Amino acid sequence: MKSLLEELIQAAGEDRVRTMEPMGPHVTFRAGGKADYFVSPSGEQELAGVIRACCSQKTPFYILGNGSNLLVGDKGYRGVIIHMGEDWNFCRFQGTRVRAGAGILLSRLSKEACRLGLSGLEAAGGIPGTLGGALVMNAGAYGFEMKDVVRSARVMTEDGEILELTAEELGFGYRRSVIPERKLIALEAELELTEGQEEEIRARMEELAALRREKQPLEYPSAGSTFKRPEGYFAGKLIQDAGLKGYRVGGAQVSEKHSGFVINRGGATAGEIMRLCRDVQRIVREQTGVTLEMEVKTLGEFEEPEEGKQP
């Protein structure tokens, strides 16, 4: 019987399989341990082969794009990271429609649309993730959500079957879709944009970028908004009102610029970031009765330090 490593190499090629890969450089928090295996399949056939190998060996796997919404534990991940990278980074425009791969950054996609005078992705330009990740969680900002522009998505099941789901079938909601619920893998999507003027579109993108620079701690590694917005509240205001602005655990901190962001001030471990998030959840719940749900996904094994200190 072949080992998992042998099966992964057979599926994707030796040059696309790495072992004990540090995950810090692959996530925007810039923290975390090593993954047992890190594979970058070049197409659907290789991807299906990698998934079959994982299933046959009963080994967990995780689909990774830009790592902008992920925290990997310092003890690492005992499984396979499947990276949807450069080979999934494409976009093809036809009129007001665009077909794009799961690995393309939203920032690049929005710039290409702007260049062609197509409106609809202005607010997506500052979301630091890939199209695949944005489909999975119906990413959004400044009143925009992916569901506003998605017509359909090409996905793969764990059995390697390819499906084309309509926007309705994707079941978009607040920071959710059926993709993770049905254990599907986003491959590409078709978006419907609208005709506009390049100058106006660019001006709107620059306006939103200036707002982000003013209000968000973009100078530090983070995963963007750390907690989901509770119904009837704003997570950042709840955290600030609880006296947690600037709260620190080691190198992790609640941003002093925007309390909805947890940042890596420098050298933070994944455990410190996780402990800080748990402290924030506990203190806000004790003071308000509101339970904050993390928007950031966690993966692997964590080792958390003691509680932090308020500023």
Side-chain angles (χ1 to χ4, degrees):
M1 182 177 175
K2 290 181 180 178
S3 67
L4 174 59
L5 179 58
E6 289 172 325
E7 287 198 41
L8 292 174
I9 290 174
Q10 181 178 339
E14 190 169 4
D15 61 330
R16 292 182 172 270
V17 180
R18 285 180 266 178
T19 59
M20 299 308 293
E21 177 73 5
M23 289 303 297
H26 296 291
V27 299
T28 56
F29 259 130
R30 297 295 181 256
K34 298 177 180 180
D36 286 356
Y37 302 95
F38 188 93
V39 186
S40 303
S42 66
E44 293 177 1
Q45 187 173 345
E46 286 189 7
L47 174 62
V50 169
I51 293 170
R52 280 195 299 271
C54 293
C55 292
S56 72
Q57 297 278 348
K58 295 182 171 55
T59 301
F61 64 88
Y62 186 88
I63 305 296
L64 178 73
N66 194 45
S68 59
N69 197 44
L70 180 66
L71 181 63
V72 181
D74 299 300
K75 291 185 176 181
Y77 178 58
R78 307 284 74 82
V80 179
I81 297 291
I82 302 175
H83 184 220
M84 306 284 280
E86 193 57 39
D87 294 285
W88 308 84
N89 177 12
F90 64 85
C91 57
R92 297 185 293 268
F93 288 84
Q94 185 172 12
T96 57
R97 293 186 183 177
V98 55
R99 192 83 184 179
I104 192 169
L105 287 170
L106 293 179
S107 56
R108 181 194 161 199
L109 187 58
S110 64
K111 287 175 184 174
E112 289 292 321
C114 173
R115 183 178 60 82
L116 294 171
L118 294 174
S119 177
L121 290 172
E122 289 88 335
I127 299 174
T130 60
L131 176 60
L135 291 170
V136 167
M137 66 175 293
N138 186 27
Y142 295 105
F144 160 85
E145 291 181 303
M146 288 304 299
K147 69 179 180 62
D148 300 333
V149 294
V150 173
R151 280 181 51 85
S152 64
R154 184 176 173 88
V155 299
M156 180 183 290
T157 69
E158 289 190 345
D159 296 326
E161 181 184 2
I162 303 294
L163 305 173
E164 187 82 18
L165 301 183
T166 65
E168 185 176 356
E169 290 171 329
L170 286 164
F172 288 126
Y174 175 64
R175 300 298 178 263
R176 65 168 293 277
S177 73
V178 302
I179 294 173
E181 296 167 14
R182 293 176 55 182
K183 298 183 179 179
L184 303 173
I185 299 156
L187 305 175
E188 56 186 69
E190 182 173 86
L191 312 181
E192 179 73 55
L193 306 178
T194 57
E195 292 182 354
Q197 297 297 319
E198 180 182 354
E199 296 80 9
E200 294 177 6
I201 296 168
R202 191 178 307 282
R204 178 58 176 161
M205 290 175 67
E206 290 173 354
E207 177 188 354
L208 292 174
L211 273 175
R212 286 189 177 91
R213 287 192 298 271
E214 177 188 350
K215 297 182 179 297
Q216 298 178 9
L218 303 181
E219 65 272 29
Y220 292 106
S222 77
S225 296
T226 310
F227 301 97
K228 293 182 180 179
R229 185 181 68 241
E231 189 172 350
Y233 299 91
F234 291 100
K237 187 174 189 309
L238 287 171
I239 295 166
Q240 180 173 325
D241 290 350
L244 293 171
K245 179 179 279 193
Y247 182 87
R248 293 187 69 160
V249 177
Q253 183 181 38
V254 174
S255 169
E256 295 172 304
K257 198 172 191 179
H258 189 314
S259 297
F261 284 64
V262 171
I263 60 173
N264 182 347
R265 291 273 312 192
T269 66
E272 289 170 344
I273 295 169
M274 194 67 221
R275 165 52 67 185
L276 185 148
C277 291
R278 291 193 194 281
D279 288 354
V280 167
Q281 289 174 311
R282 175 181 55 78
I283 294 168
V284 168
R285 185 171 57 249
E286 288 173 352
Q287 292 194 16
T288 68
V290 178
T291 298
L292 292 176
E293 182 183 350
M294 286 185 65
E295 190 167 303
V296 176
K297 307 298 181 187
T298 59
L299 193 67
E301 302 172 35
F302 287 79
E303 186 172 12
E304 298 178 25
E306 295 301 314
E307 294 178 9
K309 297 180 180 180
Q310 290 180 244

